[in-house]
Amino acid sequence: MPISRASLLSRRGLLAAGGAIGLGAALAACGDDDKKKGDSQKAAESGKSGPWSFKDDRGKAVETKSTPKTIVAFTGTAAALHDYGVEVKAVFGPTKTKDGKPDVQAGDLDINKVEILGNVWGEFSVEKYAALAPDLLVTDMWEKDALWYVPDNSKDKILKLAPSVALWAAQISMPAALQRRADLAASLGADLKAAKFTEAKARFEKAAARLRAAAKANPGVTVMIGSASADLFYVSAAKTSADTAYFQELGVKFVEPKVNAQGFFEELSWENVGKYKADVIMMDNRSTALQPDALKSKPTWTGLPAVKAGQITPRTTEPIYSYDKCTPILETLAKAIETAKKVA
């Protein structure tokens, strides 16, 4: 990320634009379209009558006269709710790539059936949002009381139109982040005792056990969490994001960078990208970050031991917090550690 651009971004904007942080969420995908529609209808009907309330991660008790129906959410959070059978009317945040395909953060959302209020950082159509007559806005929170992808310059107008729920994507561990999205989905009508949800959770727990075993069997393997821009390489601290904090709890050994004042990552020039030694590099898979194939022209990158050894694995930096979507994340990292050679 160019220094001039970074200076124009807010603290949260810097994180979104390419700093290697992570979160999102994911649970049980719903199968074919008819089944998805049935699940959504069932979820909606189960919460039809009476007042609705939910205490979010700001400690704010959000209350409405009835269960919200017109829900607008950050794309990754909407994808998690979708996995529980709770559908949203509109989304904001990375949803559609330049070629019109679903962004990685959209999960199984049908991006042609939701209104996209904003697709990039700083973009949010207040007019379209107001026209929806929203019942509820839902998003992530990386910093206390800061609503992810809700622009600061229009935040006051947006928050006047409907109640909002914010859920931590940092400073907690992945199981807690998963539970909070599940709690919200249940409040909106999802049946968490349904077989597909209990089975998805069981698969997640099995994957977690596999990652723990992989880390224990390969204690010398060190992992670096990276994200690339044209001018800078970001090395993240594992403890600050829900996903990597959990991987660390499971025994994965991470590079520990000297983070900046924001506390999430350290910015390195490409000349200094070899500052830390790692056997495996987890690379930010978001559309806002440069991917490994785009870095082949950078000799300091191609000279890294992990790169030479082909020990690069994707990092789902903003996970979709449902058990269905988080399970492959654990399995991918477990495989990378199981097969890694000590090269640093």
Short mmCIF file of all heavy atoms in Angstrom, two decimals, residues 243-272:
data_model
loop_
_atom_site.label_atom_id
_atom_site.label_comp_id
_atom_site.label_asym_id
_atom_site.label_seq_id
_atom_site.Cartn_x
_atom_site.Cartn_y
_atom_site.Cartn_z
N ASP A 243 -9.43 -15.67 14.12
CA ASP A 243 -9.00 -16.93 13.50
C ASP A 243 -7.62 -17.35 13.97
O ASP A 243 -7.42 -18.46 14.49
CB ASP A 243 -9.07 -16.83 11.98
CG ASP A 243 -8.20 -15.73 11.41
OD1 ASP A 243 -7.96 -14.72 12.09
OD2 ASP A 243 -7.76 -15.86 10.24
N THR A 244 -6.65 -16.46 13.79
CA THR A 244 -5.27 -16.83 14.11
C THR A 244 -5.03 -16.94 15.62
O THR A 244 -4.16 -17.70 16.06
CB THR A 244 -4.28 -15.84 13.48
OG1 THR A 244 -4.70 -14.49 13.78
CG2 THR A 244 -4.25 -16.01 11.97
N ALA A 245 -5.80 -16.22 16.41
CA ALA A 245 -5.71 -16.37 17.86
C ALA A 245 -6.08 -17.81 18.24
O ALA A 245 -5.46 -18.42 19.12
CB ALA A 245 -6.63 -15.38 18.56
N TYR A 246 -7.08 -18.35 17.56
CA TYR A 246 -7.50 -19.73 17.83
C TYR A 246 -6.45 -20.72 17.36
O TYR A 246 -6.14 -21.69 18.06
CB TYR A 246 -8.83 -20.00 17.14
CG TYR A 246 -9.41 -21.36 17.45
CD1 TYR A 246 -9.50 -21.83 18.76
CD2 TYR A 246 -9.88 -22.18 16.42
CE1 TYR A 246 -10.05 -23.08 19.03
CE2 TYR A 246 -10.43 -23.42 16.69
CZ TYR A 246 -10.51 -23.87 18.00
OH TYR A 246 -11.05 -25.10 18.27
N PHE A 247 -5.87 -20.47 16.18
CA PHE A 247 -4.83 -21.36 15.69
C PHE A 247 -3.66 -21.40 16.68
O PHE A 247 -3.07 -22.45 16.92
CB PHE A 247 -4.32 -20.91 14.32
CG PHE A 247 -5.39 -20.74 13.28
CD1 PHE A 247 -5.18 -19.90 12.18
CD2 PHE A 247 -6.60 -21.40 13.37
CE1 PHE A 247 -6.16 -19.73 11.22
CE2 PHE A 247 -7.59 -21.24 12.41
CZ PHE A 247 -7.36 -20.40 11.33
N GLN A 248 -3.36 -20.25 17.24
CA GLN A 248 -2.29 -20.17 18.24
C GLN A 248 -2.66 -20.98 19.48
O GLN A 248 -1.82 -21.68 20.05
CB GLN A 248 -2.04 -18.71 18.59
CG GLN A 248 -0.71 -18.44 19.28
CD GLN A 248 -0.40 -16.95 19.31
OE1 GLN A 248 -1.25 -16.13 19.62
NE2 GLN A 248 0.84 -16.60 18.99
N GLU A 249 -3.92 -20.90 19.89
CA GLU A 249 -4.39 -21.69 21.04
C GLU A 249 -4.24 -23.19 20.76
O GLU A 249 -3.99 -23.98 21.68
CB GLU A 249 -5.85 -21.37 21.33
CG GLU A 249 -6.10 -19.99 21.90
CD GLU A 249 -7.59 -19.67 21.99
OE1 GLU A 249 -8.42 -20.60 21.80
OE2 GLU A 249 -7.93 -18.50 22.23
N LEU A 250 -4.40 -23.56 19.50
CA LEU A 250 -4.29 -24.97 19.13
C LEU A 250 -2.84 -25.43 19.00
O LEU A 250 -2.59 -26.61 18.75
CB LEU A 250 -5.03 -25.22 17.81
CG LEU A 250 -6.56 -25.05 17.86
CD1 LEU A 250 -7.16 -25.18 16.47
CD2 LEU A 250 -7.18 -26.07 18.81
N GLY A 251 -1.90 -24.51 19.16
CA GLY A 251 -0.49 -24.88 19.18
C GLY A 251 0.33 -24.44 17.98
O GLY A 251 1.54 -24.72 17.93
N VAL A 252 -0.28 -23.76 17.02
CA VAL A 252 0.48 -23.30 15.85
C VAL A 252 1.47 -22.23 16.28
O VAL A 252 1.13 -21.31 17.02
CB VAL A 252 -0.46 -22.76 14.76
CG1 VAL A 252 0.33 -22.22 13.57
CG2 VAL A 252 -1.43 -23.86 14.30
N LYS A 253 2.70 -22.35 15.80
CA LYS A 253 3.76 -21.39 16.12
C LYS A 253 3.82 -20.31 15.04
O LYS A 253 4.03 -20.61 13.87
CB LYS A 253 5.11 -22.11 16.22
CG LYS A 253 6.28 -21.21 16.59
CD LYS A 253 7.58 -22.00 16.63
CE LYS A 253 8.77 -21.11 16.94
NZ LYS A 253 10.04 -21.90 16.92
N PHE A 254 3.63 -19.06 15.45
CA PHE A 254 3.60 -17.94 14.50
C PHE A 254 4.78 -17.00 14.68
O PHE A 254 5.30 -16.84 15.80
CB PHE A 254 2.32 -17.13 14.67
CG PHE A 254 1.08 -17.78 14.15
CD1 PHE A 254 0.19 -18.40 15.02
CD2 PHE A 254 0.79 -17.79 12.79
CE1 PHE A 254 -0.97 -19.00 14.55
CE2 PHE A 254 -0.36 -18.40 12.31
CZ PHE A 254 -1.24 -19.00 13.18
N VAL A 255 5.19 -16.37 13.57
CA VAL A 255 6.12 -15.24 13.64
C VAL A 255 5.45 -14.14 14.45
O VAL A 255 4.25 -13.90 14.32
CB VAL A 255 6.43 -14.73 12.21
CG1 VAL A 255 7.04 -13.32 12.24
CG2 VAL A 255 7.35 -15.70 11.48
N GLU A 256 6.22 -13.49 15.30
CA GLU A 256 5.68 -12.40 16.13
C GLU A 256 6.30 -11.07 15.68
O GLU A 256 7.41 -10.72 16.09
CB GLU A 256 5.97 -12.66 17.60
CG GLU A 256 5.28 -13.92 18.12
CD GLU A 256 5.45 -14.12 19.62
OE1 GLU A 256 6.06 -13.23 20.27
OE2 GLU A 256 5.01 -15.17 20.13
N PRO A 257 5.60 -10.31 14.85
CA PRO A 257 6.14 -9.05 14.32
C PRO A 257 6.11 -7.94 15.36
O PRO A 257 5.40 -8.04 16.37
CB PRO A 257 5.19 -8.74 13.16
CG PRO A 257 3.89 -9.32 13.61
CD PRO A 257 4.24 -10.58 14.34
N LYS A 258 6.86 -6.89 15.09
CA LYS A 258 6.80 -5.69 15.92
C LYS A 258 5.70 -4.81 15.36
O LYS A 258 5.93 -4.00 14.46
CB LYS A 258 8.15 -4.97 15.90
CG LYS A 258 9.28 -5.78 16.54
CD LYS A 258 10.59 -5.02 16.52
CE LYS A 258 11.69 -5.84 17.19
NZ LYS A 258 13.01 -5.13 17.15
N VAL A 259 4.50 -4.98 15.87
CA VAL A 259 3.33 -4.32 15.30
C VAL A 259 3.38 -2.81 15.51
O VAL A 259 4.03 -2.30 16.42
CB VAL A 259 2.03 -4.88 15.89
CG1 VAL A 259 1.87 -6.34 15.51
CG2 VAL A 259 1.99 -4.71 17.40
N ASN A 260 2.65 -2.10 14.64
CA ASN A 260 2.57 -0.65 14.76
C ASN A 260 1.59 -0.27 15.87
O ASN A 260 1.06 -1.13 16.58
CB ASN A 260 2.18 -0.02 13.42
CG ASN A 260 0.84 -0.52 12.91
OD1 ASN A 260 0.02 -1.04 13.67
ND2 ASN A 260 0.61 -0.35 11.62
N ALA A 261 1.29 1.01 15.98
CA ALA A 261 0.44 1.49 17.07
C ALA A 261 -0.97 0.91 17.01
O ALA A 261 -1.65 0.81 18.03
CB ALA A 261 0.37 3.02 17.04
N GLN A 262 -1.40 0.51 15.82
CA GLN A 262 -2.73 -0.08 15.69
C GLN A 262 -2.82 -1.46 16.32
O GLN A 262 -3.89 -1.92 16.70
CB GLN A 262 -3.11 -0.16 14.21
CG GLN A 262 -3.19 1.21 13.55
CD GLN A 262 -3.41 1.10 12.05
OE1 GLN A 262 -3.64 0.01 11.54
NE2 GLN A 262 -3.32 2.21 11.36
N GLY A 263 -1.68 -2.14 16.39
CA GLY A 263 -1.63 -3.42 17.09
C GLY A 263 -1.91 -4.65 16.26
O GLY A 263 -1.82 -5.77 16.76
N PHE A 264 -2.22 -4.48 14.97
CA PHE A 264 -2.58 -5.63 14.15
C PHE A 264 -1.42 -6.19 13.33
O PHE A 264 -1.29 -7.39 13.18
CB PHE A 264 -3.72 -5.27 13.19
CG PHE A 264 -5.06 -5.15 13.85
CD1 PHE A 264 -5.54 -3.91 14.23
CD2 PHE A 264 -5.83 -6.26 14.11
CE1 PHE A 264 -6.78 -3.78 14.84
CE2 PHE A 264 -7.07 -6.16 14.71
CZ PHE A 264 -7.55 -4.90 15.09
N PHE A 265 -0.58 -5.33 12.78
CA PHE A 265 0.46 -5.80 11.87
C PHE A 265 1.64 -4.85 11.83
O PHE A 265 1.58 -3.72 12.31
CB PHE A 265 -0.10 -5.99 10.46
CG PHE A 265 -0.87 -4.80 9.94
CD1 PHE A 265 -0.21 -3.69 9.43
CD2 PHE A 265 -2.26 -4.78 9.96
CE1 PHE A 265 -0.92 -2.59 8.95
CE2 PHE A 265 -2.98 -3.69 9.49
CZ PHE A 265 -2.30 -2.60 8.98
N GLU A 266 2.71 -5.35 11.21
CA GLU A 266 3.91 -4.54 10.94
C GLU A 266 4.03 -4.38 9.44
O GLU A 266 3.88 -5.34 8.68
CB GLU A 266 5.16 -5.24 11.48
CG GLU A 266 6.46 -4.51 11.19
CD GLU A 266 7.70 -5.21 11.72
OE1 GLU A 266 7.54 -6.30 12.33
OE2 GLU A 266 8.81 -4.69 11.53
N GLU A 267 4.29 -3.14 9.00
CA GLU A 267 4.48 -2.89 7.58
C GLU A 267 5.96 -3.00 7.24
O GLU A 267 6.80 -2.39 7.90
CB GLU A 267 4.00 -1.49 7.19
CG GLU A 267 2.54 -1.21 7.52
CD GLU A 267 2.36 -0.40 8.79
OE1 GLU A 267 3.16 -0.60 9.73
OE2 GLU A 267 1.43 0.41 8.84
N LEU A 268 6.27 -3.79 6.22
CA LEU A 268 7.64 -3.94 5.75
C LEU A 268 7.75 -3.50 4.29
O LEU A 268 6.85 -3.78 3.49
CB LEU A 268 8.08 -5.41 5.85
CG LEU A 268 8.11 -6.06 7.24
CD1 LEU A 268 8.48 -7.53 7.10
CD2 LEU A 268 9.10 -5.35 8.15
N SER A 269 8.84 -2.81 3.97
CA SER A 269 9.10 -2.53 2.56
C SER A 269 9.50 -3.84 1.91
O SER A 269 9.92 -4.79 2.60
CB SER A 269 10.23 -1.51 2.42
OG SER A 269 11.45 -2.09 2.89
N TRP A 270 9.38 -3.92 0.60
CA TRP A 270 9.74 -5.17 -0.06
C TRP A 270 11.22 -5.49 0.06
O TRP A 270 11.62 -6.66 0.01
CB TRP A 270 9.30 -5.13 -1.53
CG TRP A 270 7.84 -5.39 -1.65
CD1 TRP A 270 6.84 -4.48 -1.88
CD2 TRP A 270 7.18 -6.65 -1.50
NE1 TRP A 270 5.60 -5.09 -1.88
CE2 TRP A 270 5.78 -6.41 -1.65
CE3 TRP A 270 7.62 -7.94 -1.24
CZ2 TRP A 270 4.85 -7.44 -1.56
CZ3 TRP A 270 6.69 -8.97 -1.15
CH2 TRP A 270 5.33 -8.71 -1.31
N GLU A 271 12.04 -4.47 0.29
CA GLU A 271 13.46 -4.71 0.50
C GLU A 271 13.70 -5.46 1.81
O GLU A 271 14.69 -6.18 1.97
CB GLU A 271 14.23 -3.39 0.54
CG GLU A 271 14.34 -2.68 -0.80
CD GLU A 271 13.06 -1.94 -1.18
OE1 GLU A 271 12.15 -1.83 -0.34
OE2 GLU A 271 12.98 -1.47 -2.33
N ASN A 272 12.77 -5.30 2.75
CA ASN A 272 12.95 -5.91 4.08
C ASN A 272 12.00 -7.08 4.33
O ASN A 272 11.80 -7.48 5.48
CB ASN A 272 12.73 -4.85 5.17
CG ASN A 272 13.78 -3.77 5.11
OD1 ASN A 272 14.97 -4.06 5.03
ND2 ASN A 272 13.36 -2.51 5.13
#
